[in-house]
Amino acid sequence: MLLSDSTIKAAKEANLIDYMLTYHPDCVMDYYGIRDISHDSLVLYPDSFCRYSTGEVKDSIYYLVHYQGYEWRDAVLKLKKFSESHPDESPMARCFSGKKKESHFYKPIQTNHINSIREYLHYERGISLPTIDTLIQQKKIYAATAPGYGADYVCFSNSHMGFYSLRNISGEGMPKLLFTKKPGGFWWFTTEKPWQPDNLIERLACPMPVYSMDTPIYVFEAPIDAISFYELYEEPGIYTAMGGLKDTALDKILNAFPIYKEDHRLYLDRQVILAVDRDGAGDRFSEKHNQFERIKPTGKDWNEDLTSSA
């Protein structure tokens, strides 16, 4: 019997860290985040994992199948059940109590190394200085440090969601980091101006600023690719990054930017364009979400296109 999309979605909404601490505490370790005990560069997140030594970023189901030996169906059903209940922790899992919240989420510490991130993004990544300065002013990026991981990073920040994606700019420490407070976090920016009705009655139907209905959502894997695409084409749009290929993040993005129409109602039917990497993983993700248009970079990703065009 095939599993429904809603079942798979519920499984992906389970907190992977809590699941592993409850059922497999002997398979993880608490060292600057919850890590796989057999692969110390593999860091677990609530909705995914990242193996920093290889750059592999996948969802919770994939982790249980490929790293814990589950059958795919069994992984889906057990994660779904866990997401819908609150099982008692095992005695070993309780050993993590007290550290658990601190270990699961870490907000990178802001530094004053602004010139370092400007030089990195401009000279190594090909981003124009005006765009960099605009993103700094909007608090979409900042210079950061992450003790235990590395000294100097550019941090792509969505503080509202508790989402922080980091790129190392010093060459020492972890090359990439991702800290997200809840499943489905994402990064975004836009140069478009939001709008809200002047009429007080209409504001009851549209309580938050919205963007023009003609403004599409572009969905990328990494923030650097979102910025690179903007630099290449300067298309009006809402530029988003999932921090990998994540169904939960895409779902949050689809619900984050409604359109306000003439009947004074909000709708979730904004044009969505997938702009993920040109590789096998990007192809599979796009095929799974083939209701959306896809555009591909000439090279592997949009930053490669930007730097090669300079």
Side-chain angles (χ1 to χ4, degrees):
M1 181 177 169
L2 295 176
L3 298 181
S4 67
D5 289 343
S6 61
T7 295
I8 297 170
K9 181 180 177 182
K12 290 181 178 180
E13 291 175 350
N15 189 306
L16 177 60
I17 296 175
D18 287 343
Y19 181 89
M20 290 301 295
L21 291 179
T22 300
Y23 292 119
H24 303 291
D26 55 329
C27 295
V28 295
M29 59 181 175
D30 185 13
Y31 179 71
Y32 294 105
I34 304 300
R35 298 171 181 261
D36 187 283
I37 202 163
S38 300
H39 308 279
D40 59 8
S41 74
L42 194 159
V43 181
L44 301 184
Y45 297 100
D47 62 345
S48 60
F49 74 90
C50 179
R51 189 173 178 182
Y52 287 100
S53 61
T54 63
E56 182 181 36
V57 179
K58 301 287 185 181
D59 62 30
S60 306
I61 299 170
Y62 185 98
Y63 175 75
L64 292 186
V65 171
H66 290 83
Y67 288 94
Q68 297 300 326
Y70 280 58
E71 293 294 328
W72 181 84
R73 182 184 181 86
D74 196 33
V76 172
L77 292 176
K78 289 194 173 182
L79 284 169
K80 176 181 181 292
K81 182 178 179 181
F82 186 81
S83 73
E84 296 172 345
S85 62
H86 302 281
D88 294 331
E89 292 179 336
S90 68
M92 290 187 70
R94 281 194 287 271
C95 292
F96 290 91
S97 296
K99 295 182 183 179
K100 199 170 172 183
K101 290 183 179 179
E102 180 183 354
S103 299
H104 289 190
F105 178 70
Y106 174 85
K107 181 178 179 179
I109 301 167
Q110 187 166 354
T111 71
N112 62 356
H113 299 172
I114 299 298
N115 287 337
S116 295
I117 67 169
R118 291 178 85 246
E119 290 174 3
Y120 168 80
L121 291 171
H122 182 59
Y123 292 111
E124 295 191 36
R125 294 295 185 167
I127 310 299
S128 68
L129 291 174
T131 296
I132 296 168
D133 291 338
T134 296
L135 292 171
I136 292 173
Q137 184 179 19
Q138 293 178 353
K139 302 188 186 305
K140 297 294 184 178
I141 60 174
Y142 66 85
T145 187
Y149 298 101
D152 283 300
Y153 291 89
V154 54
C155 178
F156 301 90
S157 167
N158 180 352
S159 58
H160 177 72
M161 297 188 77
F163 178 92
Y164 303 93
S165 175
L166 292 84
R167 291 288 183 108
N168 196 316
I169 63 174
S170 68
E172 298 180 2
M174 292 280 197
K176 300 177 185 178
L177 295 169
L178 178 65
F179 300 102
T180 180
K181 199 167 190 177
K182 296 179 181 179
F186 63 89
W187 183 85
W188 72 283
F189 84 98
T190 185
T191 58
E192 303 302 296
K193 299 295 184 184
W195 171 87
Q196 198 168 18
D198 294 326
N199 185 289
L200 292 177
I201 301 298
E202 287 190 43
R203 283 204 178 195
L204 295 175
C206 185
M208 61 183 182
V210 294
Y211 296 93
S212 165
M213 66 176 64
D214 298 326
T215 305
I217 301 172
Y218 292 93
V219 182
F220 301 83
E221 293 185 37
I224 196 72
D225 291 315
I227 303 169
S228 298
F229 182 90
Y230 172 76
E231 289 285 284
L232 284 164
Y233 302 107
E234 295 188 0
E235 292 286 343
I238 299 166
Y239 292 80
T240 68
M242 301 177 285
L245 294 168
K246 300 179 180 178
D247 296 329
T248 50
L250 178 59
D251 188 55
K252 295 280 187 180
I253 290 168
L254 298 179
N255 287 278
F257 305 102
I259 293 172
Y260 185 69
K261 294 190 176 181
E262 293 179 355
D263 61 357
H264 310 313
R265 297 177 65 183
L266 293 172
Y267 292 87
L268 297 172
D269 55 359
R270 188 179 296 278
Q271 181 186 11
V272 175
I273 301 170
L274 297 183
V276 297
D277 292 357
R278 180 190 283 270
D279 57 16
D283 292 343
R284 289 188 292 273
F285 186 84
S286 299
E287 288 168 5
K288 184 164 53 173
H289 300 286
N290 60 13
Q291 70 270 37
F292 304 122
E293 177 187 352
R294 182 192 181 186
I295 54 175
K296 295 182 182 182
T298 302
K300 181 184 181 298
D301 58 45
W302 297 102
N303 188 244
E304 183 178 304
D305 282 11
L306 178 64
T307 53
S308 64
S309 68

